[in-house]
Amino acid sequence: MKRLSLIFAIMAAMILAVSCGQKKAQKVLVLYYSQTGNTKLVAEEIANKLGADIEEIVAVNPYDGDFMQTIERCMKEREEGVITEIKPLKSKIAKYDVIFLGYPVWFGTVAPPVATFLKNVDLSGKTIVPFCTFGSGGLESSTKDIEKSQLNAQVMPGYGVRAARLEAMPAEVDQFLKENGFIPGDYIQLGEFTDLEEVTPEEEYIFIKATDNYPMLHAKAKLVGKRWIPNGTEYLFIAEDQPREFKNNMPPAGEMKVYVTVIGDTKPEFTRVVR
């Protein structure tokens, strides 16, 4: 009988040790601002895969005009130092460990309603995972701005997608969440790009075909590296802005990275630009 009691005591101790060693489940909130609905689609995909809470950041005075009206208003507010007012959140930020923070990229950074949120909240000790939609790029620059505004938070590398490529988003989000350990499952571990070499005529043609329908990108490819991706090839082009007459609203000339994918026989497609 004593031996049986000892066995039960050992088993109880083992169960206690295991339970103490288990990592506490993290509470996740997907928080986003979306003007056109593109960022909302990404937010909903992430929340559905994580089973997470979700809430939208809403501007008191909505940016509901067309593209040029939004740009003009945003430029004026930036020049005048206007802080965009947002409605109070229903979610209690303090109870969450991880904040997936979503936004469209405007002027290379987070949209103004998200900038207001970051200005008014302290996310110290929390993990922030940026995700964004954009015309050509801005994930890297906007992530740096989030880091500067929340010095005591852990800001992870995020996910970004061009608005023109939203059909690819669900598969990419799945890969992103698995790769970063947010959900279980197999994912494809991509290799490194090859060393950069001078662009061949064939590669220059790929670059031109990938970028010819995007008027905000007027550049010439100089160097290229590449790597295998499922069913195709991804190219990393180092490109240089070309002179643009009568385009005073364009960013200054400079060097940039342009990522391009070629899947099977489909048209080459650029996925993002990093300036």
Side-chain angles (χ1 to χ4, degrees):
M1 190 71 176
K2 290 183 178 180
R3 182 178 180 184
L4 188 61
S5 298
L6 179 62
I7 292 173
F8 280 128
I10 293 173
M11 289 177 64
M14 291 176 64
I15 292 171
L16 179 61
V18 170
S19 63
C20 290
Q22 287 176 339
K23 186 178 179 180
K24 180 183 176 182
Q26 292 186 313
K27 189 70 174 174
V28 180
L29 173 66
V30 178
L31 185 63
Y32 71 96
Y33 168 74
S34 185
Q35 184 198 18
T36 65
N38 290 335
T39 308
K40 180 180 180 180
L41 289 175
V42 185
E44 291 174 341
E45 186 71 25
I46 292 172
N48 287 338
K49 286 188 176 297
L50 294 176
D53 295 339
I54 184 170
E55 183 171 352
E56 181 177 7
I57 297 172
V58 179
V60 172
N61 181 17
Y63 292 85
D64 57 0
D66 63 18
F67 176 75
M68 286 310 303
Q69 288 176 338
T70 298
I71 293 300
E72 289 170 4
R73 173 183 163 184
C74 191
M75 287 180 63
K76 182 179 180 182
E77 289 177 344
R78 284 160 60 95
E79 291 170 358
E80 297 176 353
V82 173
I83 304 298
T84 302
E85 188 178 357
I86 61 175
K87 295 182 179 181
L89 297 177
K90 297 177 182 178
S91 302
K92 302 298 183 184
I93 298 297
K95 76 176 187 179
Y96 294 98
D97 306 296
V98 181
I99 309 293
F100 278 76
L101 186 61
Y103 49 88
V105 173
W106 295 357
F107 294 94
T109 191
V110 301
V114 174
T116 297
F117 165 76
L118 290 168
K119 182 179 178 65
N120 295 335
V121 71
D122 182 4
L123 300 178
S124 295
K126 299 186 185 298
T127 298
I128 305 173
V129 187
F131 65 94
C132 59
T133 56
F134 45 73
S136 60
L139 171 63
E140 292 78 8
S141 55
S142 61
T143 297
K144 289 180 181 178
D145 288 338
I146 294 172
E147 290 173 341
K148 291 176 184 176
S149 69
Q150 298 291 330
L151 296 176
N152 296 316
Q154 178 189 3
V155 182
M156 291 186 59
Y159 168 74
V161 62
R162 288 185 64 213
R165 298 185 59 255
L166 282 175
E167 72 282 350
M169 178 269 295
E172 291 181 351
V173 164
D174 185 74
Q175 164 88 3
F176 174 78
L177 294 177
K178 289 176 178 176
E179 188 174 6
N180 288 281
F182 289 108
I183 58 175
D186 296 330
Y187 64 91
I188 298 168
Q189 184 69 50
L190 299 179
E192 299 292 328
F193 285 96
T194 61
D195 292 338
L196 295 174
E197 298 181 350
E198 289 189 9
V199 172
T200 66
E202 179 183 357
E203 292 162 344
E204 183 177 21
Y205 174 79
I206 290 172
F207 179 83
I208 292 172
K209 291 296 291 183
T211 61
D212 60 0
N213 289 329
Y214 189 73
M216 303 291 284
L217 182 59
H218 185 64
K220 181 176 178 60
K222 298 165 54 181
L223 301 172
V224 65
K226 49 192 171 184
R227 65 180 177 182
W228 175 87
I229 58 175
N231 304 314
T233 304
E234 182 177 18
Y235 296 83
L236 166 56
F237 288 98
I238 305 300
E240 188 172 56
D241 275 318
Q242 296 298 287
R244 289 165 286 185
E245 297 180 3
F246 312 114
K247 295 289 185 180
N248 296 327
N249 61 332
M250 293 290 159
E255 198 172 75
M256 70 189 81
K257 296 178 181 178
V258 182
Y259 292 83
V260 172
T261 59
V262 180
I263 307 296
D265 296 328
T266 61
K267 180 181 181 293
E269 185 177 54
F270 89 85
T271 58
R272 74 184 194 277
V273 175
V274 181
R275 292 183 180 273

